Amino acid sequence: VETARNTLLAALMVIQAVSKNEQRQAALSAFGIKDGSGALAALLQACVPAEIPDWEVLSATLIAWRQVIIRDDTARDAFRWRGGAQSVVAAMRYAAKNNNDDCRIAALELIAAAATRCESNKGALAKAGVCSDLAKALVTKNDNLLKSAARAVCTIAAADD
């Protein structure tokens, strides 16, 4: 199990690091993944809730998905069709319940990336209940969490599509 976990973390780090769509697709293919958004959504759903949370895998998954979305409009558009809104909101709630601000920040950054210039993702996130979670995140003493929450709120509120 530890070997599989380390392989998964390595794959997520590669996905985070690659800058071009072709490189990302090659990295995903090397790990047997054809549908990046679907695979990342499934991974988030498998992490939340967990009896023993693996915060490193959860955070790496959120960060990798954000990197995929900001570099590929097709992946951003696929976010809502692959269960992205429900998955990221569940992950953010799970992290909040367990007081893991790093994962909450990663989830908020993914939300901001998914909502950028994509009204359908904004609607899917709103339908998943993200607004009340954003309001809760805005009431914090953690400056980094506050900045990420504010960025997510501004992105969702923007008429930029």
Side-chain angles (χ1 to χ4, degrees):
V1 172
E2 191 64 25
T3 302
R5 180 184 178 277
N6 290 338
T7 301
L8 173 63
L9 284 171
L12 291 169
M13 295 305 146
V14 168
I15 293 166
Q16 290 175 26
V18 296
S19 61
K20 295 184 178 166
N21 189 32
E22 301 81 31
Q23 292 172 324
R24 190 184 70 258
Q25 290 302 334
L28 291 169
S29 296
F31 293 99
I33 301 169
K34 292 182 181 164
D35 174 12
S37 293
L40 293 168
L43 186 54
L44 276 186
Q45 291 164 2
C47 289
V48 178
E51 198 168 300
I52 302 172
D54 190 332
W55 297 111
E56 186 177 12
V57 170
L58 183 57
S59 183
T61 303
L62 291 163
I63 293 167
W65 203 352
R66 177 184 176 270
Q67 292 303 101
V68 168
I69 284 175
I70 63 173
R71 293 181 177 136
D72 183 1
D73 289 345
T74 303
R76 187 195 64 224
D77 294 341
F79 178 81
R80 76 180 159 133
W81 299 114
R82 298 292 187 245
Q86 297 83 359
S87 298
V88 72
V89 169
M92 187 170 58
R93 288 178 180 163
Y94 187 61
K97 179 180 172 186
N98 288 281
N99 298 312
N100 189 308
D101 285 349
D102 290 339
C103 279
R104 286 176 78 190
I105 290 167
L108 288 163
E109 293 297 333
L110 171 55
I111 288 166
T116 300
R117 296 182 324 274
C118 191
E119 295 301 319
S120 60
N121 284 348
K122 293 175 187 183
L125 285 160
K127 191 173 181 178
V130 76
C131 296
S132 63
D133 296 296
L134 292 174
K136 290 174 189 172
L138 287 169
V139 184
T140 181
K141 295 186 189 299
N142 180 328
D143 286 343
N144 292 328
L145 181 61
L146 180 61
K147 287 175 189 173
S148 292
R151 186 173 14 264
V153 168
C154 290
T155 304
I156 289 174
D160 61 357
D161 192 17

